Amino acid sequence: MLLSVQNLSVAYGDKQAVKNLSFTVAKGETFGLLGANGAGKSSSIAAILGVESSRSDELLLLGKSPIAARREVFEEVGVQFQETHFPDKMTVEEACIQWRALYRHPQEVAPLLAAFGLEDKTKQLIKQLSGGERQRLAVLLALLPNPKLVFLDELTTGLDTKARKMLWKQLLQMKEQGLSIVLTSHYMDEVEALCDRLLILNHGETVVEGTVSEVIQLSGQPDLETAYLHFAGEEEWI
């Protein structure tokens, strides 16, 4: 297993943000961590990455502790946050050069720029990119270390249909080559396209885990969209 989380809990004072979260991610698998805003997704990921205090029976990335072996682990783990901030005067090329210099065995930049449709933006300031272009750049930088495991937080928020499907295609190709992915998303078509298994949180607690078809069946709903709303506690929006 590339990721093993057993009974992970996160608390802020008396507030229990995440309670006894457990799941694993195997090589070449995409795992969806889903839930409404405030359900505990961001706290869970921050704790798994070792940047948020937590309690757990086991927390291993690539078989190692993300806290005790942090530098070693993050040579092979990529992270794309929902909001990535760049210096005002940094160009796309400069960002790629700086990120690449942080790792021992990074991917080549040019093929990634082409794959993400940014090859003609290298000299452009990042602040001048569209929201969708900045999002694609953030994903590119997360993949630049040539990671075994990547965390993608709200992968295609703000992207148009063409850009979303372009990202899906690229990730599916990398997945076939062994890349493992932990994905958060509010788009159920994205979850269906990318995820092998998923887990839904509701107020920090796991309410269901399984494949897309298993989650739909357990919900008694006709599709993943309504199954998600049912388990996430958002049925009033149906």
Side-chain angles (χ1 to χ4, degrees), residues 131-149:
E133 288 166 343
R134 284 196 298 271
Q135 184 79 342
R136 279 183 271 154
L137 177 62
V139 177
L140 182 157
L141 295 175
L143 296 171
L144 197 53
N146 199 19
K148 293 180 179 177
L149 172 66

Side-chain angles (χ1 to χ4, degrees), residues 16-44:
Q16 194 80 24
V18 182
K19 184 176 181 181
N20 296 329
L21 174 65
S22 297
F23 67 93
T24 59
V25 180
K27 181 179 180 180
E29 183 177 33
T30 300
F31 188 87
L33 184 61
L34 312 181
N37 292 332
K41 303 186 303 296
S42 295
S43 295
S44 298

Side-chain angles (χ1 to χ4, degrees), residues 104-118:
R104 288 180 293 178
H105 306 293
Q107 297 196 63
E108 292 298 324
V109 173
L112 282 175
L113 287 169
F116 286 97
L118 295 170

Side-chain angles (χ1 to χ4, degrees), residues 4-190:
S4 179
V5 179
Q6 300 299 325
N7 292 322
L8 175 77
S9 295
V10 180
Y12 303 109
D14 294 333
K15 177 178 169 54
Q16 194 80 24
V18 182
K19 184 176 181 181
N20 296 329
L21 174 65
S22 297
F23 67 93
T24 59
V25 180
K27 181 179 180 180
E29 183 177 33
T30 300
F31 188 87
L33 184 61
L34 312 181
N37 292 332
K41 303 186 303 296
S42 295
S43 295
S44 298
I45 290 177
I48 291 166
L49 295 174
V51 297
E52 187 70 74
S53 297
S54 65
R55 293 182 293 101
S56 64
D57 291 339
E58 181 174 87
L59 177 56
L60 297 174
L61 274 73
L62 314 183
K64 300 163 187 171
S65 165
I67 300 168
R70 186 166 191 78
R71 184 167 183 172
E72 192 175 349
V73 165
F74 284 95
E75 278 285 337
E76 299 182 296
V77 173
V79 182
Q80 170 257 325
F81 290 114
Q82 188 173 356
E83 294 185 11
T84 302
H85 299 284
F86 300 96
D88 283 346
K89 296 186 178 181
M90 178 176 280
T91 66
V92 170
E93 182 179 53
E94 288 167 343
C96 291
I97 290 171
Q98 288 193 20
W99 256 258
R100 197 172 188 275
L102 297 173
Y103 302 97
R104 288 180 293 178
H105 306 293
Q107 297 196 63
E108 292 298 324
V109 173
L112 282 175
L113 287 169
F116 286 97
L118 295 170
E119 65 269 42
D120 61 344
K121 304 289 183 181
T122 56
K123 302 300 182 183
Q124 192 163 330
L125 292 175
I126 296 173
K127 70 177 182 179
Q128 295 175 338
L129 297 177
S130 69
E133 288 166 343
R134 284 196 298 271
Q135 184 79 342
R136 279 183 271 154
L137 177 62
V139 177
L140 182 157
L141 295 175
L143 296 171
L144 197 53
N146 199 19
K148 293 180 179 177
L149 172 66
V150 65
F151 291 80
L152 301 174
D153 187 13
E154 301 298 340
L155 173 65
T156 60
T157 297
L159 298 188
D160 60 30
T161 300
K162 181 180 178 181
R164 293 178 71 218
K165 292 191 174 180
M166 181 185 71
L167 268 185
W168 297 353
K169 180 180 179 181
Q170 183 64 24
L171 290 171
L172 288 169
Q173 289 175 350
M174 298 181 79
K175 182 173 175 285
E176 288 178 1
Q177 297 166 6
L179 177 68
S180 298
I181 301 168
V182 175
L183 173 76
T184 74
S185 179
H186 285 100
Y187 299 119
M188 293 305 109
D189 59 339
E190 183 162 280

